[in-house]
Amino acid sequence: MDFYIIGKEHELASKVFKCACLIDAKVRFVMPCDSIKINNTIHDVCFIEFDCLSDEVSRRFEKSSIVVLSKPFSLEQECAYLHDGYRGVIDTTRPPQQIIDQLQLLLNNIELLYSRAALSKIALQYLQTRVLEFKPISALTRKENQIVTYIQSGLQNKEIAKELAISPATVKTHVQRILKKTGAKNRTQIISKTAAY
């Protein structure tokens, strides 16, 4: 089976069903209350009308296999579906040829079905989060940068103290300041948060 379509046989699901039939896809139309068994492989794609997207229906399928069928939706709603892990959304008010093009992409297992605007917004949010996670290494003092280098090499506080000719207590104080400045919780996080610099 190429596609499963869950809906109430009104405009949303029936339009996608007709488009899928035009490209000779194997399609099964299922009512929301019907019980069906699918393999939930990466190749399974299940179209579900937005108003049939209940917890019970969603539990029967991997979110990564679900494409939500909807009439025009906001960018925020589209981003919410993407954040939730759904495979995509289809605006069923689009012309049939555009829907057919999207179905063919799914048949070829090529991509998620989201607008460029939604993908860009999510990517930008991700990048902004990454920037906030990584405090610039320039926020550290010269001595703290030296200690980070030793931590990245796997040295413990006593070994670092010997290399820098300072007391282990002083190294401990520097490590605590590094933890605070980088937002790290432990030495491993210090390494991961400073590795990009």
Side-chain angles (χ1 to χ4, degrees), residues 18-54:
K18 289 173 188 172
C19 290
C21 290
L22 288 173
I23 59 171
D24 293 327
K26 297 175 190 164
V27 186
R28 181 168 174 203
F29 200 103
V30 182
M31 298 300 284
C33 57
D34 292 349
S35 66
I36 60 170
K37 184 172 174 32
I38 66 169
N39 297 330
N40 267 333
T41 68
I42 194 162
H43 301 291
D44 292 328
V45 178
C46 181
F47 299 94
I48 302 179
E49 292 175 353
F50 73 97
D51 56 350
C52 297
L53 201 59
S54 67

Side-chain angles (χ1 to χ4, degrees), residues 135 140 174-184 190:
K135 300 267 183 180
L140 301 179
H174 283 300
V175 170
Q176 289 171 342
R177 287 183 187 146
I178 293 166
L179 289 168
K180 186 175 181 179
K181 288 181 180 180
T182 61
I190 288 174

Side-chain angles (χ1 to χ4, degrees), residues 2 10 13 15 22 33 38 56 68 83 102 122 128 154-155 161:
D2 295 319
H10 59 63
K15 187 170 184 180
L22 288 173
C33 57
I38 66 169
E56 187 237 318
V68 180
H83 267 296
Q102 290 178 311
I122 297 297
Q128 288 170 340
L155 298 182

Side-chain angles (χ1 to χ4, degrees), residues 22-146:
L22 288 173
I23 59 171
D24 293 327
K26 297 175 190 164
V27 186
R28 181 168 174 203
F29 200 103
V30 182
M31 298 300 284
C33 57
D34 292 349
S35 66
I36 60 170
K37 184 172 174 32
I38 66 169
N39 297 330
N40 267 333
T41 68
I42 194 162
H43 301 291
D44 292 328
V45 178
C46 181
F47 299 94
I48 302 179
E49 292 175 353
F50 73 97
D51 56 350
C52 297
L53 201 59
S54 67
D55 288 339
E56 187 237 318
V57 171
S58 295
R59 273 193 296 268
R60 296 184 340 210
F61 305 95
E62 295 290 327
K63 281 189 174 181
S64 59
S65 70
I66 294 175
V67 175
V68 180
L69 303 178
S70 181
K71 290 189 176 183
F73 40 83
S74 67
L75 179 61
E76 288 71 29
Q77 184 59 55
E78 187 178 6
C79 289
Y81 287 132
L82 182 53
H83 267 296
D84 288 343
Y86 292 104
R87 178 116 182 225
V89 292
I90 291 182
D91 176 353
T92 57
T93 61
R94 291 181 178 242
Q97 187 56 52
Q98 287 182 7
I99 295 173
I100 288 170
D101 292 344
Q102 290 178 311
L103 296 178
Q104 286 176 322
L105 289 172
L106 288 171
L107 277 178
N108 294 326
N109 214 15
I110 290 179
E111 62 182 59
L112 301 173
L113 291 182
Y114 287 100
S115 70
R116 186 178 186 101
L119 293 170
S120 294
K121 184 173 181 176
I122 297 297
L124 184 60
Q125 288 172 351
Y126 172 77
L127 291 173
Q128 288 170 340
T129 302
R130 297 288 293 172
V131 166
L132 292 175
E133 281 179 9
F134 291 101
K135 300 267 183 180
I137 200 88
S138 60
L140 301 179
T141 65
R142 185 181 57 79
K143 186 68 76 181
E144 289 166 347
N145 276 312
Q146 286 179 313

